[in-house]
Amino acid sequence: MDVVSPELNSLLPDEIMDTEAIAMEEELPVEHLAAPPQSEPEPPQVPMETEVPEIVSLCPATTSMQMSSASTDAQCSTSSGTQLLLAPSGLITSTTMTTTTSAKTTGPAVTQNLPKISRVTVPANHQLIINKVASAPAADGKSPGTAVLKPEGQKLLVAGLSKTGQPIMLALPHTWNKPATTQGTGDAKAQPTQIKMLTTVGKPVIAVSSASQLMGGSSTLQAQQLKTLQITKKPTVSTAGPMITKLIITKALNNKGLSSPASVAPVVTGRVVTQSTPVTPPRTITIGETSTVPQNTSGNSKVAISPLKSPSKLTVVSVASQSPNSPQKSVTLPLNVALGQQILTVQQSAATSPAKAGTSQPNTQTVKPVQTVGGVGTSQFKTIIPLGTPPNVQQIQVPGSRFHYVRLVTATTGSTTAQSGGSTNTNPSIQQAKPVMMNAAVRMSVPIVPAQSIKQVVPKPFTSAAQVVTTSQTPQRLIMPATHLPQIQPNLTSLPPGTVLAPAHGSGNMGYAVLPAPYVTQIPQPAFVTLTSSSTFSTATPIQTQARLSLNGLSTSEATSRPRKPCNCTRSQCLKLYCDCFANGEFCNNCNCVNCFNNLDHESERLKAIKACLDRNPVAFKPKIGKGKQGESDRRHSKGCNCKKSGCLKNYCECYEAKIMCSSICKCMGCKNFEESPERKTLMHLADAAEVRVQQQTAAKTKLSSQISDLLTRTTPAVTSGGGKLPYTFVTKEVAEATCDCLLEQAEQAELTTQPQAVAERLILEEFGRCLRRIISFAGKAKTDCPINC
DNA sequence: GAGTTTGAAACT
DNA sequence: CAGTTTCAAACTC
């Protein structure tokens, strides 16, 4: 495993990961916009339910001109929604762009320098409402290097001040306070809602646009909100010419539906820590520094995201190569923003003013490490990906949560097709940037994304080795091109825990298959995982049963330490929730099931089954036992049990099985699983007694074993080491047999006298102690009698 | 290990 | 949403 170099490490802001304290358990409102209200009284009790697919779109802009005029050719087209933000006059060096599934919605960006705002109101809620804009030049959106400001009515959220004191604002769309309106053609109904974070720092602008609808498809994206924005840049100079590294992070809260690939980013590198919407509990997204864009003309792009503890935290580091001729733009921008509870931190690499085109600085560095920091407050998740390494890997991992994606991406080739919307991209730099942008697509739609996004990416065949950088502390999950399954659009928020996108078996490079995290977890996790081919990956990897991920209130560590019971399904093909493996988002392995389809060989069927389950119950794969804020005592079944005959005191009862008491949600009859229930107390007492007995037995065995082991280890070396130890190998076979005989005799006596097991064990141990004393005594005597090792 | 019981999941 | 069926785990012998 590579170690992050001190140089890179020093670039990582410590505070970036300091987001542990941020509450993340809110139920993002958008999640249910398109779905009926949850009937569960306390959804937050189920940790996993709080997760919402996080869509992070990294949309680099090579230049302002390129981006703003990308209505026809840009991967990241501007949407009709709110576009850019504000920045000090002349400070904005680039425009932001919003990726949408419907490229048709591309609209001109209105540019406006901040100083031109004639009036700004500052409500108590920290909203700045720009009531008037002096002018809106460059209505066509082709004014590069100009700050874009929404016309009158534009709302800005004062995010806070950066370290340098510059205000950071979030630009809200006009429609911020109202639901997204239907827009677009076809199925793409969602209107992108954008929030932009700006900094008035006299440095290259950082713009954050909300995730627009990343996926078209049949799904309706009703509400999408931009989370936070962040930009980092690291001046990189290519011999061929300047390159622009621009990062746009978008997040769509709506997890439903997506089909079209939407976003593309030429070069993206950054760190995304968390995200949050202005209207929801705080989240922070931090973008790390970008790394040098490789000169590799192959267009390798890599995205590495390391896992984080919190589901709401996300670390993303991506790097994409650009064409040698693409202009490079470096932005160094120290930024530390506190937005309410939200923390936005951006760490800069060596400060560099916006890159200058035509920089002649030769960059012979073919491989530049990409640093990914995912851990909270620590660098444990740092990952380095050598960009120079051939196959590209994009890795997206949402900690704690169920989605960990890694996608192998290769440089685009001349055959790169136009992006969604039918637009044709002739801009080389943009084309190459496409591969990088699959984050949003991937996260939004598991199976679907691939199709279109693949076109953009042009993944390298799996025949070439791919490298995935993983950290030693946390397993990495892989997402790889898989079979195109456009018909399946599972709701990612409800996918089984740890679900991972994996390549379809025997399929082409497109599409994704859903893998349970445990499956991927067990893939050998060396510093680099080389994938030789998709088929190899699909079939060769041994599937080892993995523990459940944070199921039923159990921590991951608890779960991992407990082997899962093999299922015995015979009729469900392990593709229904009857199967515990399937229900837990795991592949069957070492099970006794018959005609099992819960494996990689039947990923398409599995995906369909998952979708079917989600159709029936959107939270089918979420833990049934929510963990209360105050600990285990607050754990309860999310739906409650329906027991009728078991009195809820047998494992038939899910509450009892989870070792929790029934609650008011339960519909059980004759329930005895409540606090004051004498039956329950009796059972608990018996269970405790049994457990104690087992522990005692275990301890006795351990002790005995330890003593024997210790005895052997002490005596054997004594033969050669001499010193104060016994000189002889006195524990001979005969001695051992005699000792065993003594112990057996003691056991028999205890049995004959009907002694309790605990007493019997004690007697045996005492006998063993006597044996040891005799042995030692004899050995010591032997030593005295024969000082010389004889 | 076979058969029964049980309740969640699936189906109607 | 309620009733029924299916299913696999839990349980009993």
Side-chain angles (χ1 to χ4, degrees), chain A residues 74 97 104 112 150 182 195 198 308 324 334 372 451 457 501 560 625 672 751 777:
Chain A
M97 55 189 168
K104 297 178 180 178
Q112 180 71 38
K150 239 345 198 181
T182 300
I195 298 174
L198 306 178
L308 296 177
T372 301
V457 175
L501 297 182
T560 54
I625 306 300
K672 298 173 181 176
E751 185 175 340
S777 176

Side-chain angles (χ1 to χ4, degrees), chain A residues 731-764:
Chain A
V731 183
T732 62
K733 179 181 178 181
E734 291 74 16
V735 171
E737 289 178 349
T739 302
C740 291
D741 290 341
C742 292
L743 298 180
L744 289 173
E745 176 64 21
Q746 186 64 61
E748 290 176 358
Q749 290 182 1
E751 185 175 340
L752 291 175
T753 57
T754 63
Q755 296 291 337
Q757 185 172 0
V759 175
E761 291 174 351
R762 181 170 54 82
L763 294 173
I764 295 172

Side-chain angles (χ1 to χ4, degrees), chain A residues 36-164:
Chain A
Q38 295 283 332
S39 61
E40 286 100 348
E42 298 178 4
Q45 283 193 345
V46 180
M48 298 303 286
E49 292 182 356
T50 62
E51 289 186 346
V52 172
E54 298 173 1
I55 297 196
V56 176
S57 301
L58 302 180
C59 239
T62 56
T63 64
S64 300
M65 178 65 80
Q66 291 175 346
M67 303 317 286
S68 62
S69 62
S71 62
T72 58
D73 59 359
Q75 296 82 3
C76 297
S77 61
T78 58
S79 67
S80 60
T82 301
Q83 296 289 326
L84 296 228
L85 4 74
L86 22 117
S89 176
L91 294 179
I92 295 175
T93 58
S94 64
T95 61
T96 60
M97 55 189 168
T98 301
T99 60
T100 63
T101 54
S102 59
K104 297 178 180 178
T105 60
T106 299
V110 177
T111 60
Q112 180 71 38
N113 290 336
L114 182 61
K116 293 181 179 180
I117 298 171
S118 62
R119 184 171 52 136
V120 175
T121 60
V122 183
N125 61 356
H126 290 198
Q127 277 192 356
L128 294 179
I129 299 175
I130 300 171
N131 294 320
K132 182 179 181 180
V133 176
S135 64
D140 57 356
K142 294 183 179 180
S143 300
T146 303
V148 177
L149 182 63
K150 239 345 198 181
E152 182 174 355
Q154 171 73 60
K155 293 180 180 180
L156 299 177
L157 286 180
V158 176
L161 297 177
S162 64
K163 288 181 178 179
T164 58

Side-chain angles (χ1 to χ4, degrees), chain A residues 72 81 104 337 553 611 719 722 779:
Chain A
T72 58
K104 297 178 180 178
V337 179
K611 185 179 184 300
V719 174

